[in-house]
Amino acid sequence: MGVLGSVLVTGGSGGLGGAVVGAFVEAGWRVVVPERSARPEAEPAAEGLVRLVADLTEPAGAARAVEVAAGESAAPLRAVVNLVGGYASGGLVHETPVEDFERMLTVNLRPTYLVTQAALPHLLAAGGGAVVCVAARAALAPFPGAAGYVTAKAAVLALANAVAVEYRSRNVRCNTVLPSVIDTPANRAAQPDADHSRWVAPAEIASVIRFLASAESAPTSGATVPVYGRA
């Protein structure tokens, strides 16, 4: 655990998050998972797993999460995985209130920016590290009725590329994965008639994310990695 260091995983309690957290715990990382509110029914934290309550849409909450992730001297912060986000469909652009549009930016882009911003000084102090962001295929191939979501995910991709350029000379890498439809219970319930066998499994995406956070992908920064399954 101490050799690999700490990883901060936002959105770690979501459909993809559970698989990502499990992949890092299994590999021996110290995994810090901020959650917006305490979950009394949550399972006891596994060895190497730290949960805390923090609102990542606010600078103070993001800073608190990063401080906990960077607070173990035996396992310095080496990676940040930005999973937190959300989806909402709606009408066409002329039918979408600006409040709904901006809500998608708040949910998807703002936490990614605040957490990455707070974590970068710690990654630099540790001699380098990795940031992995999650956008969506929709960032490259939009579909109608979700302009806010599409814009927010495209902005996440642009932010990740900016981080990659700004910090490449200081040994901090930033890469982005773009899922298609993730095979989660929530997505199955929302699309019961879809061909779920074509969707990408959370565990498959988790393996890619863990690779991008690890030293094995040291030469790679600024990559946009499709994780589409057969969708």
Side-chain angles (χ1 to χ4, degrees):
M1 178 174 63
V3 174
L4 291 179
S6 295
V7 56
L8 174 61
V9 180
T10 75
S13 58
L16 173 60
V20 172
V21 169
F24 278 101
V25 169
E26 181 182 11
W29 290 72
R30 174 179 174 263
V31 184
V32 177
V33 181
E35 298 173 333
R36 186 150 191 164
S37 59
R39 296 184 299 146
E41 76 284 0
E43 71 282 358
E47 183 178 358
L49 176 59
V50 179
R51 297 185 185 274
L52 72 147
V53 175
D55 181 357
L56 302 182
T57 64
E58 295 299 330
R64 168 173 159 72
V66 169
E67 288 298 330
V68 172
E72 179 57 65
S73 59
L77 182 63
R78 295 291 188 190
V80 175
V81 178
N82 290 302
L83 303 181
V84 70
Y87 170 78
S89 60
L92 301 178
V93 170
H94 78 281
E95 301 166 329
T96 302
V98 68
E99 294 81 6
D100 293 351
F101 179 83
E102 291 178 337
R103 188 173 300 114
M104 284 291 92
L105 298 177
T106 299
V107 169
N108 290 284
L109 178 61
R110 185 177 173 93
T112 297
Y113 180 80
L114 290 175
V115 170
T116 302
Q117 180 189 51
L120 282 166
H122 295 278
L123 295 175
L124 294 172
V131 178
V132 183
C133 297
V134 175
R137 182 167 63 178
L140 302 180
F143 54 88
Y149 175 78
V150 168
T151 302
K153 288 302 188 181
V156 168
L157 176 56
L159 171 63
N161 289 339
V163 171
V165 169
E166 289 188 1
Y167 294 91
R168 66 172 47 159
S169 65
R170 303 183 69 180
N171 203 32
V172 174
R173 303 177 295 111
C174 190
N175 296 289
T176 311
V177 297
L178 277 67
S180 56
V181 184
I182 305 174
D183 190 3
T184 64
N187 284 339
R188 287 195 175 215
Q191 302 180 53
D193 298 326
D195 182 359
H196 304 144
S197 68
R198 299 178 65 86
W199 293 357
V200 60
E204 294 175 315
I205 302 174
S207 295
V208 176
I209 289 173
R210 185 176 64 182
F211 169 74
L212 291 173
S214 72
E216 293 173 287
S217 61
T220 304
S221 190
T224 301
V225 183
V227 282
Y228 297 163
R230 296 189 299 115

